[in-house]
Amino acid sequence: MSVTYDDSVGVEVSSDSFWEVGNYKRTVKRIDDGHRLCSDLMNCLHERARIEKAYAQQLTEWARRWRQLVEKGPQYGTVEKAWMAFMSEAERVSELHLEVKASLMNDDFEKIKNWQKEAFHKQMMGGFKETKEAEDGFRKAQKPWAKKLKEVEAAKKAHHAACKEEKLAISREANSKADPSLNPEQLKKLQDKIEKCKQDVLKTKDKYEKSLKELDQGTPQYMENMEQVFEQCQQFEEKRLRFFREVLLEVQKHLDLSNVTGYKAVYHDLEQTIRAADAVEDLRWFRANHGPGMAMNWPQFEEWSADLNRTLSRREKKKATDGVTLTGINQTGDQSLPNKPSSVSSYEKTQSYPTDWSDDESNNPFSSTDANGDSNPFDDDATSGTEVRVRALYDYEGQEHDELSFKAGDELTKMEDEDEQGWCKGRLDNGQVGLYPANYVEAIQ
């Protein structure tokens, strides 16, 4: 790259050396580049901070959605707890990434911004004070030497022109000797021209050598002055480079979560929770709550009582439609309300019992195709018929966690037909699935 010095118009820059006239401008430009690099680094950290924030938000949303799905799903016991531990991990890691984002913006970003403001001072006319000082320093150091270089180039040009003129004069004089028409007077003029050219050559050569010698004598001082200004620029750049190294190390510490005590604790707790999952314990719990380990009110002889609040036998519960005290029902207007099916356990709501027990294989839920895996007796999502839209005739407030609540006029979807106990399985428009009294709704025509 060749740059021409302002005070040496006509001086040809022949190389890319720093010592060539005007080539100090690359060192001056480095100061402006330092300011731009500060801005670039701030933009880099700002963009990373946005990524950290977006990732934290995604983790939180993922944890919220899957926590709800697992809570409503069929998984139970210690394995459910281990599964839920991943959602807790995501929430805790999300908080750590928000801390990273805060550190990048509040600490690192602000530190660079303040350093840039202190290191670079803008001028009223544009540019930076530091750039102008460096430019003026180099210009002052180079000006005397550039002036002598300009003289050398001029003397060189004059000497080369004199040599060229001498050569032409000698050539003309040689050609004239072969011309018989040329008189002696003309020949003498050519010879005088040659003599004059030789004197010009000697004179210009002497001037050229003299100017070159003066340039050589001024070169050491020129180099010393240029070195001095250059070292000042180096010191300014050294401060920037050391500052960048310091900031980048701090950014590394903020990004490296492996050294954060809280981060290690997250995965230590996650591992401990997963290892605590016990299949035997979960199976024991299911047996006690949904299997043979459940308590049972076996049928016994009961004396007749006129008390409508008496404890009904299991078979009477299934057949009862009148004379049952209703609770949790809000009456609308003067409408007469139907009787709610007798209260049974949540597990009983999803089971259908035959009227008379029999050894017949048709009444065994684990016989025939069930035993071969064609159907799952524990599949809560299996439907017994086509879904039908229905409308509530009365208000109903669910009494147990697996019962639906609705108001008169609300619409919902019936998922299964009425069982022998008078319950239907349905789904509200908000997605909640549960049981409700079949005689509290009517099909929408």
Side-chain angles (χ1 to χ4, degrees), residues 78-87 89 266-279 282:
T78 59
V79 173
E80 179 187 11
K81 184 178 180 181
W83 192 346
M84 295 288 280
F86 281 99
M87 277 57 92
E89 173 267 345
V266 169
Y267 291 98
H268 177 269
D269 295 346
L270 176 62
E271 181 181 1
Q272 292 300 110
T273 305
I274 295 174
R275 291 187 181 279
D278 188 343
D282 289 355

Side-chain angles (χ1 to χ4, degrees), residues 37-66:
L37 289 171
C38 288
S39 299
D40 289 346
L41 184 54
M42 285 191 289
N43 290 335
C44 176
L45 297 183
H46 188 210
E47 185 173 336
R48 177 59 184 266
R50 289 202 303 268
I51 293 173
E52 294 290 336
K53 180 180 179 180
Y55 179 54
Q57 291 174 339
Q58 290 174 349
L59 281 178
T60 302
E61 177 61 24
W62 175 84
R64 183 194 64 78
R65 186 167 67 90
W66 275 98

Side-chain angles (χ1 to χ4, degrees), residues 162-177 186-202:
C163 292
K164 182 179 180 181
E165 189 65 28
E166 179 190 22
K167 184 177 181 179
L168 289 174
I170 293 173
S171 178
R172 291 194 197 99
E173 193 266 342
N175 292 334
S176 65
K177 289 180 180 180
Q186 291 176 328
L187 183 60
K188 178 123 179 4
K189 287 182 179 180
L190 292 175
Q191 291 173 348
D192 292 342
K193 178 68 173 176
I194 292 175
E195 187 64 26
K196 184 178 182 301
C197 287
K198 287 182 178 181
Q199 291 178 1
D200 290 342
V201 168
L202 292 175

Side-chain angles (χ1 to χ4, degrees), residues 81-98:
K81 184 178 180 181
W83 192 346
M84 295 288 280
F86 281 99
M87 277 57 92
S88 299
E89 173 267 345
E91 292 171 344
R92 293 170 67 182
V93 171
S94 172
E95 294 177 358
L96 291 175
H97 280 279
L98 287 177

Side-chain angles (χ1 to χ4, degrees), residues 253-312:
K253 292 179 182 178
H254 292 150
L255 295 178
D256 187 5
L257 295 178
S258 63
N259 292 325
V260 178
T261 304
Y263 188 76
K264 295 179 180 179
V266 169
Y267 291 98
H268 177 269
D269 295 346
L270 176 62
E271 181 181 1
Q272 292 300 110
T273 305
I274 295 174
R275 291 187 181 279
D278 188 343
V280 174
E281 177 63 26
D282 289 355
L283 293 175
R284 185 184 298 116
W285 176 89
F286 191 88
R287 178 185 180 85
N289 290 274
H290 299 293
M294 293 180 68
M296 175 63 182
N297 293 325
W298 299 102
Q300 296 179 359
F301 179 81
E302 297 179 9
E303 294 291 344
W304 178 85
S305 173
D307 185 4
L308 293 180
N309 293 324
R310 72 188 186 286
T311 303
L312 301 180

